[in-house]
Amino acid sequence: MTKLSEFGKRRQNFKFKNFTQQKLFLVQICDKKLEEESFVLFKNEEGEVLGWTEKQRQWFLRRDENTCQFVDFSGGRAKNCFNTSNLHIHFIVPPRFGLKNGFEEKDLINPLNGIAICSFHHLNFIHLDIGVLAKRWYRFDQNSYQIILKWHEILAQSQTPYWNTTWDEVLKLIAKIRTREYLRTHPDDPFPQ
Ligand SMILES: [Zn+2]
Ligand SMILES: [Zn+2]
């Protein structure tokens, strides 16, 4: 949203010098509009077949202290994120995949299967096809997101993960430790069903 308000400010201060500049500016506005529209399609952030309820989302944010839990160890050293804005609740085992691979709904809508991750890490590190590919492709084909979700369906059917699984084990461990600790210190706040 900051990006958008920045854009609005820029627009106010902008004086067109010539027609080409004006045309360029209109193209920018259209791009922004497409991006917004595509975002609306992604209400539950990764286009999954099950979603967290608002109460469950809030519970995860309390458990994870409103902070991105992503740990980037791609540089050889563990680097925490600590971002506190634009948090998504990521499914460690995504439901579309889980339901076709022996998981039941209660295993998927489960405190051990969710974790708060900022939109940057969620979409650029874990769901690259949604975060990068579908976004770029959208201006050429507005069905890009739906096409990728269909592709997920096919991959799930053949037991092939459609997200980057590099961080799965670390995220599972963090979710487990945080859940145990949170339930111990907040016995009056169980995971909402
Ligand atoms: Zn996710
Ligand atoms: Zn992050």
Side-chain angles (χ1 to χ4, degrees), residues 65-111:
E65 299 174 82
N66 276 296
T67 306
C68 174
Q69 298 299 308
F70 192 80
V71 184
D72 182 8
F73 49 82
S74 56
R77 239 179 359 163
K79 217 170 94 192
N80 285 84
C81 170
F82 300 123
N83 197 347
T84 56
S85 54
N86 299 322
L87 295 174
H88 293 176
I89 306 301
H90 165 61
F91 281 103
I92 300 175
V93 174
R96 186 177 274 108
F97 181 88
L99 291 173
K100 289 202 163 52
N101 291 279
F103 288 80
E104 288 176 36
E105 190 170 328
K106 65 170 173 38
D107 308 316
L108 299 163
I109 301 292
N110 186 297

Side-chain angles (χ1 to χ4, degrees), residues 44-46 48 52 88-92 94 115 117 122-123 126-127 130 163:
N44 70 358
E45 295 144 3
E46 48 194 73
E48 272 300 335
W52 307 110
H88 293 176
I89 306 301
H90 165 61
F91 281 103
I92 300 175
I115 192 156
I117 293 189
H122 192 209
L123 297 175
I126 300 178
H127 303 292
I130 294 174
W163 67 99

Side-chain angles (χ1 to χ4, degrees), residues 70-76 90 92 117 121 124-128 161-174:
F70 192 80
V71 184
D72 182 8
F73 49 82
S74 56
H90 165 61
I92 300 175
I117 293 189
H121 281 121
N124 291 290
F125 283 69
I126 300 178
H127 303 292
L128 275 156
Y162 47 79
W163 67 99
N164 185 345
T165 58
T166 310
W167 289 275
D168 283 11
E169 292 311 310
V170 176
L171 297 179
K172 265 183 216 166
L173 190 65
I174 296 171

Side-chain angles (χ1 to χ4, degrees), residues 117-145:
I117 293 189
C118 73
S119 65
F120 172 74
H121 281 121
H122 192 209
L123 297 175
N124 291 290
F125 283 69
I126 300 178
H127 303 292
L128 275 156
D129 56 353
I130 294 174
V132 182
L133 181 63
K135 204 167 147 188
R136 284 196 192 149
W137 186 8
Y138 188 80
R139 73 182 64 171
F140 306 109
D141 184 345
Q142 295 184 16
N143 293 316
S144 66
Y145 285 89

